[in-house]
Amino acid sequence: MRKILLAVDGTRKGLETVSILGRLLKDQEDMKIVLFHCVPQVSTLLPGDICMDIEESSKLPFKDQERIGQAVLEASSKMLTDAGFPGANIDPRLKLDCLDPASDIIKQADAEQIRTIVLGRRGRSQVEALLLGTIVGKVAQYALDKAVWIVDTTVEDSMKVMIAMEGAPEVRELSYYTAELFGPCPGLSYTFMHIIPPVPPTFWDDGHILDPAEQKDRQSRIEKWKSEWTEMVGSYMSEGRDLLLERGVGNQRVQSLILDSKEGIARDLLNEIETHKFQIVVMGKKSFRDRKPFLMGSHASKVLQNARGAIVCLVS
């Protein structure tokens, strides 16, 4: 039985996230959803959320924490079953007296050997959309060996999946992950997407005006670089297509797009997400590169911060 850990909080947007996931995965009979709720020592629920009668500034006794937690889990379970997900495949978990929800979410996934964590973006303010320091941001950053899904409600219902590939051998993992998690979902269509990066500095002018012969030679080398790059990425996309076909996805539901960069790779991806209304975006993440958290400016970070109406799946 495959497992996904779904962190729930009982908010309106959180329950909408639960419903979205239930509708997406309801036909996967071998999928179990572990519902996980952390009850903080101090109530931080917004007005209108579950158990709003608890004073926010008070330290909650264990019996009140458990009452709140069970209410959140019961409401979330109902949202899943209402969406068509089988109740027998729902496994609730409750953590009381929580001080660091992000850490507890990761620890729970580790304890149950669950690779995929799903969270909803609460979206209280534009500042929080930057993610740094939020629960979503911390889980995405520090769940080093996990795939993390961030759901930005309300999600497009296009049934379109973008697999954003960067051309490195590691992106094969994106294909395997997509085939395993989304291949069994009926009705999805898939687009392998790659944005060719700008011409590297080695092909720039050498500080002087090129004569016609030099211009021709420079252009020839640029075209050769671009051709080799496209061929490399195309081979990865071909492998990914084969994996999806093996999972029963029809050939007509898989396409590949290799595009030149126009405004920068992250912005180009965001433009494609918005233009084609992708429901799901699968892309790789490196939690740390040169000792800097990936949320400090990588392509994954920028897409995660700015993609709207999509499920962004960051795969390690």
Side-chain angles (χ1 to χ4, degrees), residues 36-40 65 93-99 104 108:
F36 183 64
H37 178 59
C38 304
V39 184
Q65 290 187 39
R93 298 281 189 274
L94 186 61
K95 172 69 169 67
L96 303 181
D97 223 22
C98 174
L99 293 175
D104 285 335
Q108 188 68 32

Side-chain angles (χ1 to χ4, degrees), residues 3 13 28 50 65 80 84 109 125 131 136 162 165-166 168 173 180 191 202 206 226 239 246 256 268 271 289 297:
K3 290 183 179 181
K13 279 187 170 289
Q28 298 198 37
I50 291 176
Q65 290 187 39
L80 279 177
S125 68
L131 294 175
V136 168
M162 172 197 280
M165 312 184 79
E166 292 200 49
E173 182 60 27
E180 177 186 358
T191 300
T202 53
D206 299 319
K226 185 175 179 180
E239 290 181 24
E246 289 174 4
S256 300
D268 292 336
N271 289 339
R289 177 181 291 174

Side-chain angles (χ1 to χ4, degrees), residues 169-210:
E170 291 82 359
V171 300
R172 291 172 179 162
E173 182 60 27
L174 296 182
S175 300
Y176 284 105
Y177 185 84
T178 303
E180 177 186 358
L181 268 293
F182 298 114
C185 297
L188 293 178
S189 60
Y190 304 83
T191 300
F192 288 95
M193 178 81 66
H194 178 72
I195 308 295
I196 298 178
V199 174
T202 53
F203 296 111
W204 294 357
D205 292 346
D206 299 319
H208 69 280
I209 299 175
L210 302 180

Side-chain angles (χ1 to χ4, degrees), residues 28-49:
Q28 298 198 37
E29 296 180 356
D30 65 336
M31 178 69 72
K32 176 174 285 189
I33 293 180
V34 175
L35 285 177
F36 183 64
H37 178 59
C38 304
V39 184
Q41 286 185 350
V42 178
S43 176
T44 57
L45 297 178
L46 295 174
D49 292 343

Side-chain angles (χ1 to χ4, degrees), residues 106 119 130-150 166 266 283-306 312-316:
I106 295 171
L119 306 99
L130 295 177
L131 294 175
L132 292 174
T134 65
I135 295 173
V136 168
K138 289 178 181 178
V139 173
Q141 180 175 328
Y142 294 112
L144 303 182
D145 59 345
K146 310 295 183 188
V148 180
W149 300 7
I150 295 86
E166 292 200 49
M283 62 190 308
K285 78 176 177 76
K286 292 182 174 62
S287 293
F288 292 91
R289 177 181 291 174
D290 299 328
R291 297 184 179 181
K292 295 180 181 179
F294 90 96
L295 286 175
M296 296 299 288
S298 69
H299 300 149
S301 162
K302 292 175 182 177
V303 170
L304 177 56
Q305 292 172 17
N306 295 287
V312 178
C313 307
L314 301 176
V315 181
S316 296

Side-chain angles (χ1 to χ4, degrees), residues 226-246:
K226 185 175 179 180
S227 175
E228 291 175 347
W229 190 280
T230 301
E231 182 179 357
M232 175 186 67
V233 174
S235 68
Y236 297 141
M237 289 181 170
S238 179
E239 290 181 24
R241 173 186 288 272
D242 290 342
L243 284 168
L244 289 175
L245 296 183
E246 289 174 4

